[in-house]
Structure formats: C-alpha cells, structure tokens
Amino acid sequence: MKPGLSLRVSQHLALTPQLQQSIKLLQLSTLELEQEVEQMLDDNPFLERTTEEAPREEFGLERADQPASEDAGDADGALYQAPTSSTSTTSTASDESSTSSSESDSPAAGSEVSEQVDWEGDGTVEMAPDDGEWGGDAPARNNTSSSGDEEVDAIDLAGSHESLTDHLHRQALALHLSDIDSAAVRFLIESLNDDGYLEESLAELALALAGADAPTEDLEELVHRFTVALRLLQSLDPAGVGARNLSECLTLQLHGMNLDEEGDPAIIAVALRICRDSLDLLARKDVKRIMQACAAPEESTRAAMNLIARLEPRPGRRFADVQRQIIVPDVIVKNVGRGAQMRFTVQLNSDVMPRLRVHDIYANALRGQRGNEANAGLQQRLQEARWFIKNVQQRFDTILRVSTAIVERQKNFFVHGELAMRPLVLRDIADELGLHESTISRVTTAKYMSTPQGTFELKYFFGSGLGTETGGSASSTAVKALIKQLLSSENPKKPLSDSKIADMLAEQGIECARRTVAKYREALKIPPANLRKAV
C-alpha cells in the first residue's frame, strides 16, 4: 500500500489538571490530605498557611466586609465555618438538583460555588429522628466521646512503643553473661519472629552464621552455645518466648506456673500432657478422647483445658509494632434536645480543615506583569495555588453534602443504634445530590463521622437490604446486629446453629438464608456453634 494522508474527526473526553487534582483530593484521607497540603506548601511559594482571613480580591471575590449575594449563598446549599471562629456551625441540606450530569460527576465540575479562601457561614440543618416505627418515647442512647486527656494519652502510648527485641535485649543485660554467651543470646533474640517464636532450628542458625565451609567442630560448638543461650532466652519475659512451636510455647508457660507455685500441680500436670500429645484434640474440644489420652478424670481434664485457654499462644503479641492511629473525624454530628424534640446538626470538623491563602506579597508583585512572558512560569504557579485552594474547598463541600444526606437517611440509627439502620446504597445518595456513584464512593472512603453512637467511617452507613414478610427491607447492618444480639444471649451449653438463627430471624419477619447467616456471623468474627459450645 502507498502511504497517504487523511483527516479523521473524533471526540474524546479529557480531564484537565484542575479536575484531576480535585478528584485526587476527594479520595484522600485526612492524614493523606495533610501530607498533600504540606507537599504543596513546600513546592509552591505562592501558597501559605494563615490564621487570618485571606485577601479575597486575589480571586475576584467580594470582600469580607461586603454582604454575600443570595445566589452565592444558595448555590450549593451549604457554607463553611471559618476555622478561626469559635462558634459551632452546621450545614444546610441541599435540595437543588445539579445543572447537568456531566458537570456534577465531579465536585470540581459541579454548579459554581462562591469561592472563598476561609470558609464561613451560619447555615443550619436540624433533622428530627423518624420515630414512626420505633415510638416517640424510645430513649436515646448517649455515648460520650473521649476527652482531650484520653487523646493525649493515646498519642503518648503510640510514641512510647517498645518492641519485643528491645524488651528482651534490656533483660539480657541483667544476666551478666560472658561475651560469647551474650553474643549468642543477642543472635537468638534477633532471630525471633514477631510472635516470639524461633522458626529456624539451632543447627540451621549455626550453619547460617558459620557458613557452609565451616568445620564440623565449629558447627557443633555453635550449636552447643545456642542451646545454652536458648535456655537463657526462654527464661526471660514474656513466658513462652523462644519456643520452636505452639506445644513448646504453652509448655514453657505451664512450667513457669509450676515454678511459681501458681494453680493446682495436678491440673498443671494434665495440661502438660495435653500440650505434649493432644493439641489437635484440644482444638476440636473432644473431651472424651482427651480424657482417654491423658488418663485423667473429666473434672481435671476440663480444668486443664480451661487453664490452657488462658495461656498466650503468641508471646510477642503485646509487643507487635502495629500502626497506632488516632482517628480524627471529618464530620461531627451532634444531637440537640431530647425525645421527640431531638434534632441533629451536621458540621465539618474545623481541626482538619487547612487554612490556606495565596501569598499576597508575591501575588501583588505579579499583578502588573501578567503579559510578561518571562513570568509565565510564576503565573502558572500562582494559578496552581488558586486551584489547590478551590479544590480543597470543593472537597469539604462535597463531604458535608454527602454527610448531611446520610444523616437525613439514617436518622433512626443516631437515636436507636445498629438495629435501626436502614438499607442504603451509593446510588440513593448519588441521585439525591446529583453526583456520580464513583464520587460518592470516593467521599465515603477513609472519611469518618463522629456521632452520638460513636465514630464510624462513612461507608459504614451503607448496606444492602434483606426482604421482609411485610414487603419492606431490612439493612444488612441491622441484621448483623440482631444476630450478634441473639448469640450473646444463647445457652453456652447449647449454642445456636446457623439454621436455628435463620429460623429465629424468619419468626421476626426477616428472610435470611442459612448461608447468609453464616456469612454475617463470620463477618462478626464469631466462631461456629461447635466451637462456641462450653466444655
């Protein structure tokens, strides 16, 4: 074929840099947003934090001393409290539809909002709980939130974490060992896993330390040193550390009880036999076969099983280097009044809202040089700073609108708890606010709401529905709460099976199959009936 030229007309959608940034900021958590703000402050010299009201003339906005127009106040149904204000502010529910579906799919492309650097306003929405199904006299649960002192203690706890390795090294210093034995103990400590187990054998450790070409005599000497060091290591706190398997871990803890004269020696002896020969039977709670294997009466066998159940299978658990995070809510829901007069107010948490503005000195320096090509790069950086401030504002605006819609849909939950949760899917909120489901999904991920019932992720309020005999639907969250309530009141000697729970739910008018009950029970981390049965 001969080469040729041709024209083709086509259409495609492109995301502008501003829209891409808006979508990125929307899906960030509070911690990630703070990191993004710090990064932008380091990269962009036109952006700075402020504790005062930012100059609005930089954005072509009305000044702070001029009254806002009615159109600007109603454009999005909610204004924002200035972070420096000490008064409590709540949001108004948005009842207006978006201008077009293409513009409303993203918070940055929705109906135009009055652009402000610091958010302020006094719009309020008060929603009364719908007690039609529950009775107006139903008492409201009131769970107090944690105090500031408790938050400080949590921060101190997170910062004062000591690892298992550090804990053991500190104890090893008090043993006053020779240099060789001290080095062997340190090597074994460094070879432990996070649970406190020594996964490799002493011979493997000696071979890894000495090398494959080491003489046999040197390897045997290392194994001897490690054997002595292992006994010293297993004498340290926590009990059971340095074990090679579960049986040895439990045995070390039982020997520690015996040495400390804790408990009945006869019961400890039975427990030692169980740990040595019958751990598989113990996992199945097969009391009769354990009695035969240990040649012990039933009373002693059950007492020994209960004793083993109190032991720690993972000695390093309390030293695990887990990520300790203090959840800071993005939205705060407060109740006003009592009983039938109870109302709920929704407001953004001003502590997580960054107070940003464009550096007025730098902006004024470029104001008279907008046509100068030499300053084109600086003009772009200035525009990026303005975009970032607007996109942060749009992020919190969307979070507030979605949170307000959730509170309006789940009013009974905030009064009565999980059992009053209603079915809710992303499309319900998306249709109400004129946004796309993907936008609602981004808003509800890693965003938290502080409520009278506790602090929850926004995704928690969404759940599928199960059919009822009356033709309605029950939320999966409410069904899980009901299953948990049924299991908490069961007879430990005759625990409820999944089929029995399904029948009990059917008696209450909820159509829930046995497999669905099993799925919900596993989600609640509740073992099956045969493992819940009291021995």
Side-chain angles (χ1 to χ4, degrees):
M1 295 180 61
K2 295 182 179 181
L5 298 175
S6 62
L7 296 177
R8 178 178 300 175
V9 180
S10 63
Q11 294 181 344
H12 66 280
L13 296 176
L15 294 177
T16 63
Q18 181 182 5
L19 185 56
Q20 293 178 9
Q21 185 184 69
S22 177
I23 295 175
K24 177 183 178 181
L25 294 178
L26 187 61
Q27 64 188 9
L28 296 180
S29 65
T30 300
L31 179 60
E32 293 170 340
L33 176 65
E34 182 63 25
Q35 295 174 349
E36 186 72 16
V37 170
E38 292 295 338
Q39 182 67 32
M40 184 62 68
L41 288 170
D42 292 339
D43 296 343
N44 197 317
F46 291 96
L47 198 64
E48 66 173 351
R49 292 186 183 272
T50 179
T51 56
E52 302 175 355
E53 187 176 3
R56 303 171 187 271
E57 60 271 14
E58 288 297 330
F59 302 90
L61 303 175
E62 59 194 15
R63 295 179 180 272
D65 54 355
Q66 295 176 349
S69 62
E70 296 181 359
D71 294 339
D74 296 335
D76 215 6
L79 296 177
Y80 294 85
Q81 174 189 2
T84 55
S85 174
S86 61
T87 59
S88 173
T89 306
T90 56
S91 67
T92 55
S94 175
D95 296 327
E96 299 181 6
S97 59
S98 77
T99 56
S100 65
S101 58
S102 62
E103 292 179 344
S104 61
D105 285 351
S106 169
S111 56
E112 185 176 358
V113 185
S114 177
E115 183 179 348
Q116 301 181 9
V117 179
D118 287 327
W119 299 281
E120 59 182 16
D122 54 1
T124 303
V125 57
E126 294 187 352
M127 289 168 284
D130 184 7
D131 287 333
E133 300 176 5
W134 303 87
D137 297 333
R141 295 172 57 186
N142 186 15
N143 294 347
T144 57
S145 60
S146 59
S147 63
D149 294 340
E150 293 175 349
E151 293 180 357
V152 173
D153 293 341
I155 296 175
D156 293 341
L157 178 61
S160 61
H161 170 70
E162 182 183 33
S163 66
L164 175 63
T165 303
D166 296 337
H167 182 67
L168 294 174
H169 279 315
R170 182 165 51 82
Q171 295 180 75
L173 294 176
L175 296 178
H176 303 292
L177 304 175
S178 64
D179 293 342
I180 297 178
D181 290 336
S182 178
V185 172
R186 288 199 303 269
F187 184 81
L188 292 183
I189 291 175
E190 295 293 339
S191 302
L192 299 175
N193 62 13
D194 293 338
D195 293 330
Y197 283 85
L198 191 64
E199 296 178 331
E200 298 179 281
S201 65
L202 299 182
E204 292 174 343
L205 292 174
L207 184 62
L209 182 61
D213 299 333
T216 305
E217 294 80 4
D218 292 346
L219 292 177
E220 292 177 351
E221 176 67 18
L222 276 177
V223 171
H224 173 70
R225 292 290 182 181
F226 284 156
T227 302
V228 175
L230 181 60
R231 293 176 182 173
L232 295 172
L233 174 60
Q234 292 177 347
S235 66
L236 302 179
D237 177 74
V241 69
R244 272 73 62 87
N245 50 57
L246 178 61
S247 176
E248 184 178 11
C249 177
L250 299 177
T251 300
L252 288 172
Q253 296 181 56
L254 291 171
H255 278 306
M257 287 185 180
N258 194 14
L259 292 175
D260 295 338
E261 297 182 357
E262 297 179 4
D264 188 350
I267 302 300
I268 295 177
V270 176
L272 288 171
R273 290 197 293 270
I274 295 175
C275 292
R276 185 182 65 245
D277 303 324
S278 307
L279 279 183
D280 55 339
L281 300 177
L282 178 65
R284 297 195 296 268
K285 296 185 178 181
D286 194 339
V287 180
K288 293 183 178 179
R289 296 185 62 181
I290 293 177
M291 291 170 52
Q292 297 174 358
C294 298
E298 181 178 359
E299 182 179 356
S300 299
T301 301
R302 293 186 179 277
M305 293 172 64
N306 292 330
L307 177 61
I308 295 174
R310 295 196 298 269
L311 302 179
E312 175 56 73
R314 293 187 293 174
R317 187 201 305 266
R318 62 188 174 99
F319 299 96
D321 188 13
V322 296
Q323 185 71 19
R324 291 188 173 104
Q325 294 183 352
I326 301 174
I327 296 178
V328 180
D330 301 84
V331 182
I332 299 175
V333 178
K334 296 182 179 180
N335 53 354
V336 180
R338 292 182 176 274
Q341 302 298 324
M342 182 177 294
R343 302 290 185 271
F344 294 98
T345 60
V346 184
Q347 68 183 64
L348 292 169
N349 184 2
S350 60
D351 293 336
V352 302
M353 298 169 63
R355 290 171 285 187
L356 305 172
R357 72 173 181 181
V358 171
H359 201 295
D360 53 354
I361 298 178
Y362 296 161
N364 291 333
L366 286 177
R367 178 172 300 176
Q369 305 179 17
R370 294 182 179 178
N372 191 346
E373 296 182 358
N375 297 325
L378 295 177
Q379 293 288 351
Q380 182 179 358
R381 301 295 285 175
L382 176 60
Q383 187 62 36
E384 289 177 358
R386 291 171 173 170
W387 283 351
F388 186 78
I389 293 174
K390 180 178 179 181
N391 288 334
V392 170
Q393 173 188 352
Q394 291 279 9
R395 176 187 185 271
F396 285 101
D397 170 75
T398 307
I399 292 175
L400 181 59
R401 293 177 61 200
V402 172
S403 301
T404 301
I406 291 175
V407 173
E408 187 175 3
R409 292 293 188 100
Q410 300 289 7
K411 288 179 287 190
N412 285 328
F413 165 80
F414 298 101
V415 179
H416 306 284
E418 293 178 321
L419 292 175
M421 187 77 79
R422 290 182 175 180
L424 183 64
V425 294
L426 297 177
R427 178 172 296 180
D428 296 336
I429 302 297
D431 293 342
E432 179 179 342
L433 300 181
L435 301 175
H436 195 272
E437 289 183 45
S438 62
T439 302
I440 305 300
S441 178
R442 292 186 180 98
V443 172
T444 56
T445 302
K447 315 295 188 304
Y448 294 88
M449 177 187 293
S450 175
T451 73
Q453 301 289 343
T455 301
F456 305 93
E457 188 179 10
L458 295 185
K459 275 190 177 298
Y460 173 79
F461 299 96
F462 294 85
S464 57
L466 299 176
T468 60
E469 291 182 353
T470 60
S473 60
S475 170
S476 58
T477 304
V479 175
K480 289 179 184 179
L482 185 56
I483 292 175
K484 186 177 181 179
Q485 188 180 80
L486 293 174
L487 294 179
S488 63
S489 59
E490 69 179 357
N491 185 356
K493 296 184 178 180
K494 294 182 179 179
L496 299 174
S497 63
D498 295 339
S499 300
K500 180 61 176 178
I501 296 174
D503 295 338
M504 297 174 69
L505 293 176
E507 293 176 358
Q508 301 188 29
I510 301 175
E511 301 173 0
C512 188
R514 182 194 62 81
R515 291 183 178 180
T516 306
V517 172
K519 181 179 70 173
Y520 289 168
R521 176 181 52 74
E522 292 174 357
L524 294 170
K525 297 182 180 181
I526 298 177
N530 62 323
L531 297 181
R532 298 198 310 272
K533 187 175 182 179
V535 295

